[in-house]
Amino acid sequence: MRSLRALAALVVAVLVALPAGPAAAHGGKIKLTVAGDGAGGVTVMAVYADGHRLDQLVRLTLTAEGEGGRTAGPVQIEPAGEGQGFYSSGPLLSPGDWRVTVSAPAPYQSTATAQVQARVAQSPSPVAIERPADRTDPAGVRWWPWLAGGLVVVVAAAALLWRRRRVDLGPGDQPAGLGG
């Protein structure tokens, strides 16, 4: 019975000494960098305090206070497609100046605040929209019709030569070099 208690104490001691997971491996803290997205949204970059990329999903919460007592949130922001540790709120803020706070839950316990100026999203002007590039060479000449035409000419010439050669040879004639 004594050895069983000693073994149980050893197991508990080993479990307590082991890191609690990926956060503990990096010191348990993350660094949040908050910025506006150029329109009405917020972007966040999250990295471990030691500078390594965040390698797992963290549930970040955003709250914002704007001019005139306006508020937004709390809202959970989603990972963005830019890569690990990037988060985006999407369109959330109306135009104006906002004080945005993003926080991470335990075990990370991190908070960051930034001033963000939200703007009306801009749509591209019709002048800025370009037609897709057509497949032309630098001189502006389409090459494939010329290639197709050249192939047609070569095939037609070969067919005419072959037919003429067959007509020039009589029924009993053999072309030179075929022995006989």
Side-chain angles (χ1 to χ4, degrees):
M1 186 62 118
R2 218 170 169 202
S3 62
L4 186 59
R5 284 186 189 168
L7 182 61
L10 179 64
V11 167
V12 169
V14 167
L15 290 176
V16 169
L18 287 177
H26 293 279
K29 285 270 192 187
I30 60 173
K31 178 183 174 191
L32 302 172
T33 304
V34 180
D37 69 356
V42 176
T43 60
V44 179
M45 184 176 74
V47 295
Y48 288 110
D50 62 7
H52 289 103
R53 284 189 193 184
L54 192 64
D55 56 358
Q56 61 184 356
L57 178 68
V58 176
R59 295 187 178 275
L60 299 179
T61 304
L62 179 144
T63 56
E65 298 173 2
E67 302 165 329
R70 296 180 296 168
T71 61
V75 64
Q76 182 176 328
I77 56 176
E78 299 296 320
E82 282 82 5
Q84 290 178 327
F86 287 94
Y87 292 79
S88 177
S89 70
L92 177 70
L93 307 174
S94 59
D97 290 323
W98 292 85
R99 178 181 163 95
V100 177
T101 302
V102 177
S103 58
Y108 305 104
Q109 297 297 333
S110 185
T111 302
T113 302
Q115 286 297 123
V116 172
Q117 185 177 16
R119 297 181 178 96
V120 175
Q122 299 293 315
S123 60
S125 66
V127 175
I129 299 173
E130 294 182 19
R131 291 183 349 173
D134 54 0
R135 297 183 180 203
T136 59
D137 67 4
V141 179
R142 292 184 183 262
W143 59 270
W144 63 267
W146 292 98
L147 179 64
L151 285 173
V152 167
V153 168
V154 168
V155 168
L160 286 174
L161 285 174
W162 179 73
R163 184 170 181 216
R164 183 166 185 214
R165 187 167 178 105
R166 292 208 27 120
V167 170
D168 287 347
L169 295 176
D173 296 336
Q174 282 189 350
L178 292 179

